[in-house]
Amino acid sequence: MNDKIGAYKSPGKVHGFDFIFEGEIRFGPTYYKLMLDRELVKNRIFGFEFKWHPESKYLALQEWLTTDYQKGPITALTLVDLKTRKFAKISKAEKGFIKPLKFENDLIIYEKEYFGTDKKGEFEIVLDKIENWENE
């Protein structure tokens, strides 16, 4: 086991990450930088929501697209392909938060909850259909 890969280890303990405190929204949650497999993910910030793929293929994260109190929250479900270290923004919630719930078979299942309302929804996307992979 490699203790230096981060506090939050993948199921196979091959990958890991640490959240590094970056700031806090006024009257709201904290947000973080991400150190993935000992490398800082640049120009991105994340909320404290994540799920590992059971075979350690992917990491699903809640990425924050703004910290502007007037515009936000705007969050995205972002997947990291741990083999290629490519990122894909899967879905976005304007004035809301996305929470990855689980990987099930060939799906990622997630929830959107909208700020200041009781509006919630559960969604799923087939992993093999994701095409917008990009370098960090």
Side-chain angles (χ1 to χ4, degrees), residues 20-89:
I20 301 165
F21 179 79
E22 177 72 4
E24 183 175 346
I25 299 297
R26 189 176 78 173
F27 307 116
T30 52
Y31 53 92
Y32 306 85
K33 293 180 192 174
L34 187 76
M35 183 77 72
L36 178 60
D37 293 337
R38 296 182 298 262
E39 289 184 39
L40 183 66
V41 174
K42 297 179 182 128
N43 304 315
R44 294 176 185 256
I45 54 173
F46 302 91
F48 198 82
E49 297 286 350
F50 68 92
K51 285 290 180 237
W52 289 105
H53 184 274
E55 296 172 15
S56 305
K57 292 180 180 179
Y58 303 102
L59 174 61
L61 297 155
Q62 177 194 78
E63 183 173 0
W64 286 31
L65 304 180
T66 184
T67 58
D68 184 308
Y69 182 75
Q70 298 298 322
K71 292 180 184 174
I74 303 172
T75 61
L77 176 66
T78 296
L79 280 188
V80 182
D81 181 322
L82 296 167
K83 186 176 182 181
T84 64
R85 200 175 166 98
K86 291 196 180 234
F87 290 69
K89 282 189 186 99

